[in-house]
Amino acid sequence: MEDRRARFEELAPGLVDPLRRFLARRTDPATAEDVLADTLLVCWRRLDQVPAEPLPWAYAVARHCLANAERSARRQRRVAAKVATMDPPATATPGPSGDGAGGDGALDAALAALRPADAELLRLWAWERLEAAQIAQVLGVTPNAAAIRLHRARQRLAAELRKSAPVSGHEESREGRSR
């Protein structure tokens, strides 16, 4: 038991900050902290399964914990909606705004236009600075598949960014020309 505890105490400090940043980019601060706690609990429970390079594995665990939290939140919203139709509140209060990710509006719009799987892949690559082999571990695919998906996702993102970017270079003058 002491060996297990010592291993976890050695492992956890290196995971907390990267996982906190990973989750903060994907959800609101309160949910991020709850999911971080759930992720660390899973790491403790499955300590014998943690590989030598634990961060990509922990990212995968965090993704699953976040998906569970989002499903739970959706269920709670559905129940609240049912209750509100049966017994509507006296006044409505606005919910939290924003996605917690912040950043450039054009990039946010381009990422939002992509398929969720492509956007997540790009976030793992750009924000978490993972290589294709590490992304493969997080997503549960082969390194080759991750590299191909990353290449295609980057191409799709570039195309989305070109759609929203102003045209660069010189505009062609039509002065003095007849059509």
Side-chain angles (χ1 to χ4, degrees):
M1 183 68 175
E2 285 300 317
D3 290 339
R4 183 177 172 82
R5 181 177 175 176
R7 179 161 185 242
F8 184 76
E9 287 176 352
E10 179 182 316
L11 176 76
L15 297 177
V16 170
D17 286 338
L19 286 172
R20 184 173 279 134
R21 287 190 305 269
F22 174 85
L23 293 165
R25 291 181 186 116
R26 288 160 176 79
T27 189
D28 62 274
T31 302
E33 288 300 315
D34 289 345
V35 172
L36 176 62
D38 291 343
T39 302
L40 291 173
L41 180 61
V42 170
C43 290
W44 168 256
R45 288 180 177 162
R46 296 176 55 193
L47 192 58
D48 296 335
Q49 297 172 8
V50 176
E53 189 179 348
L55 192 56
W57 183 87
Y59 283 146
V61 170
R63 285 181 73 234
H64 292 291
C65 289
L66 181 58
N68 288 340
E70 289 170 347
R71 278 191 296 277
S72 175
R74 282 193 301 271
R75 283 191 301 269
Q76 289 174 0
R77 284 191 299 270
R78 283 194 303 266
V79 167
K82 278 185 178 180
V83 168
T85 58
M86 291 178 196
D87 186 21
T91 60
T93 57
S97 63
D99 60 34
D104 177 33
L107 180 59
D108 290 343
L111 280 171
L114 295 176
R115 295 179 321 176
D118 285 344
E120 177 64 7
L121 213 156
L122 289 167
R123 287 184 192 107
L124 288 169
W125 172 71
W127 291 348
E128 311 310 331
R129 302 187 191 288
L130 296 183
E131 296 175 10
Q134 295 169 314
I135 292 171
Q137 187 177 356
V138 172
L139 299 179
V141 298
T142 66
N144 189 42
I148 291 168
R149 290 178 188 178
L150 177 60
H151 175 73
R152 291 178 180 163
R154 289 172 63 187
Q155 288 179 325
R156 289 183 191 111
L157 178 64
E160 287 297 328
L161 288 170
R162 280 192 298 273
K163 287 180 188 176
S164 65
V167 178
S168 61
H170 299 285
E171 290 185 23
E172 185 178 325
S173 172
R174 300 201 183 277
E175 190 173 308
R177 292 187 186 172
S178 60
R179 291 187 176 207

